[in-house]
Amino acid sequence: MAIRKRGKGRWQVRVRPFPEVVVPTRGAAETIERDLKLRAKLGHLYQEKPTTLGDELDGLLQRKQAMGGKRGPLRPAGLRYYQDCARPWEPLRDILVPALRRKQVEDHIVARAAIAPTAARNELQFVKAALRAAQSRGQQVDIGIFDIEPIRVESREGEALEYEELLALASWLPERIKRIVPFCGTVGLRFTEAVTLTDDRVDLEAGTIFIPGRLNKSRRPKPIPLARVEVQLLREQLLVRPPGTRVVFATEKGGVYSHSGFQSIWLPALLAAGLAHEEKRNGRTHVVADFRFHWLRHTAISLMARAGMKPELIAERVGHNDGGALIYRRYRHLFHNELKEAVSMLDRIVEKPVETAEPGGTAGGL
């Protein structure tokens, strides 16, 4: 007998070779029994019951959270990334996977790409991954979806601000948070590293901060020595942050900023500083950033380079593990004065004999 009562509200279903299933009603048990017997009879020809796109997206998120990525468990920023990739598919979540068509997915992602091309590229990759997993688990999927061309994103070279421009941008932010701009613009912290900085990782006497490996992209703990101006910025910040919080660059209520929460003060500040512009889409006005928060890191690398710091030391300070190779390769445009300064050094060497030549003599042999 495949169905047995195992107590109040407990019905056991056992159909070989499948593991037993316990459900609360006999009706549910009979339904599961029929399904398991049909599955055993049809073998590889059995088709799973259709699931919705939302079910598959949620399932992929749960597996990512449980199994992690190539480098191990997901960090909070990694989980937020996948959640952000899943969220824009809300209009299509209730569609059954076998009924989902390429046109629906393609039209949706093209509309998204007109607003946020980089995000749209990531969202398309995520939904394809979810549908490939659904296909491998027995769902019928329109294979045309996998042929949708990836969203092309024009890469933008990072920009760097002058220190005076950092202070000008900061002046448009609320007093309790504005020092995050010059601080990140000289230290080179990533957004998550900055907004999660807490008292226990700040040592003002030693002039250092500490970024744990779980928050650092390289997965390695990162102690960072600070310049005097950076220590002073932290001293001032600790006085103006909301009372009762351990977060250095806290929200108005003392919490940790999310990306979207920070945008609510970041975009107006960029617009006021002339680093953003407005666009009208679908009858609504949107603020489009011309300067990204991550470019504060570019600014910091630029300032360190102009101060004469060696690339390998810059790399160590900002958390690169390549001895400066990425600094040379990706941030080379920030060393724009380097050649000019090198040429001026040549001038000083060549002009020295001219200055010391005796009256009436010739210099340089020309």
Side-chain angles (χ1 to χ4, degrees):
M1 187 174 181
I3 301 177
R4 288 187 174 89
K5 188 177 174 93
R6 293 300 188 188
K8 186 176 180 180
R10 288 174 58 84
W11 295 84
Q12 180 192 69
V13 184
R14 178 175 288 175
V15 177
R16 293 182 179 178
F18 307 105
E20 66 178 47
V21 181
V22 178
V23 291
T25 66
R26 182 175 180 86
E30 291 172 348
T31 300
I32 291 174
E33 179 193 24
R34 288 193 298 269
D35 184 67
L36 291 177
K37 287 182 176 179
L38 181 61
R39 185 181 299 189
K41 185 175 182 179
L42 294 178
H44 72 279
L45 297 176
Y46 176 82
Q47 292 185 2
E48 293 284 345
K49 290 183 178 179
T51 59
T52 65
L53 177 62
D55 292 335
E56 296 300 335
L57 292 173
D58 293 342
L60 181 57
L61 275 174
Q62 291 170 4
R63 292 192 294 276
K64 289 286 187 183
Q65 187 170 8
M67 300 170 65
K70 295 180 180 179
R71 298 184 178 180
L74 287 182
R75 295 177 297 160
L79 181 58
R80 284 196 301 271
Y81 166 80
Y82 288 118
Q83 290 171 339
D84 290 342
C85 288
R87 191 174 297 113
W89 295 102
E90 187 69 30
L92 306 182
R93 282 182 61 89
D94 294 334
I95 299 177
L96 294 174
V97 170
L100 186 65
R101 293 292 173 263
R102 171 175 176 163
K103 183 179 185 304
Q104 295 169 295
V105 175
E106 197 164 31
D107 289 351
H108 174 83
I109 206 64
V110 166
R112 282 284 298 152
I115 300 173
T118 302
R121 178 192 60 190
N122 300 335
E123 293 156 16
L124 180 59
Q125 291 174 345
F126 186 77
V127 83
K128 284 183 178 181
L131 291 175
R132 285 193 182 95
Q135 188 180 51
S136 70
R137 294 154 68 94
Q139 294 294 311
Q140 298 296 315
V141 179
D142 180 358
I143 60 173
I145 294 174
F146 302 130
D147 293 330
I148 296 175
E149 290 290 329
I151 304 300
R152 295 183 179 180
V153 179
E154 293 184 6
S155 59
R156 294 180 62 185
E157 196 173 70
E159 297 178 11
L161 299 178
E162 297 292 339
Y163 191 72
E164 293 74 15
E165 294 175 309
L166 288 177
L167 298 179
L169 172 57
S171 68
W172 295 102
L173 288 167
E175 177 69 20
R176 60 179 167 80
I177 192 67
K178 70 180 186 180
R179 289 165 184 82
I180 195 174
V181 174
F183 188 75
C184 290
T186 56
V187 180
L189 293 186
R190 298 180 177 91
F191 176 79
T192 302
E193 295 172 344
V195 298
T196 57
L197 187 64
T198 49
D199 288 344
D200 58 311
R201 293 191 274 112
V202 174
D203 188 340
L204 294 177
E205 294 302 319
T208 60
I209 59 173
F210 179 78
I211 307 298
R214 60 184 174 81
L215 295 175
N216 185 17
K217 190 176 181 180
S218 65
R219 302 276 183 169
R220 295 175 58 185
K222 184 171 69 172
I224 302 176
L226 301 178
R228 287 195 301 271
V229 65
E230 295 160 349
V231 172
Q232 182 59 31
L233 284 170
L234 282 184
R235 291 187 188 278
E236 295 173 1
Q237 177 61 32
L238 296 180
L239 294 175
V240 299
R241 63 179 173 172
T245 182
R246 296 173 60 249
V247 180
V248 176
F249 298 105
T251 65
E252 190 173 6
K253 295 182 178 180
V256 175
Y257 268 108
S258 65
H259 283 271
S260 57
F262 190 76
Q263 290 295 304
S264 65
I265 61 171
W266 176 246
L267 288 177
L270 288 180
L271 187 63
L275 296 172
H277 64 279
E278 293 183 333
E279 289 183 1
K280 285 192 175 182
R281 305 191 193 108
N282 302 322
R284 298 180 61 184
T285 301
H286 299 266
V287 177
V288 180
D290 298 321
F291 184 86
R292 301 172 183 173
F293 187 92
H294 188 73
W295 291 350
L296 294 176
R297 186 171 169 86
H298 289 240
T299 298
I301 292 173
S302 173
L303 291 174
M304 284 185 264
R306 289 167 60 186
M309 193 178 295
K310 295 179 180 179
E312 56 268 28
L313 297 180
I314 297 175
E316 183 177 346
R317 191 169 193 244
V318 299
H320 292 174
N321 299 325
D322 55 8
L326 184 61
I327 299 293
Y328 276 120
R329 185 171 68 251
R330 188 168 183 179
Y331 298 92
R332 192 65 184 175
H333 63 284
L334 301 178
F335 293 71
H336 51 82
N337 289 328
E338 186 179 51
L339 181 59
K340 186 175 181 180
E341 292 173 1
V343 170
S344 66
M345 292 173 62
L346 180 62
D347 280 336
R348 288 196 294 271
I349 293 173
V350 173
E351 290 173 355
K352 189 174 181 181
V354 176
E355 297 171 357
T356 59
E358 294 183 3
T362 59
L366 295 179

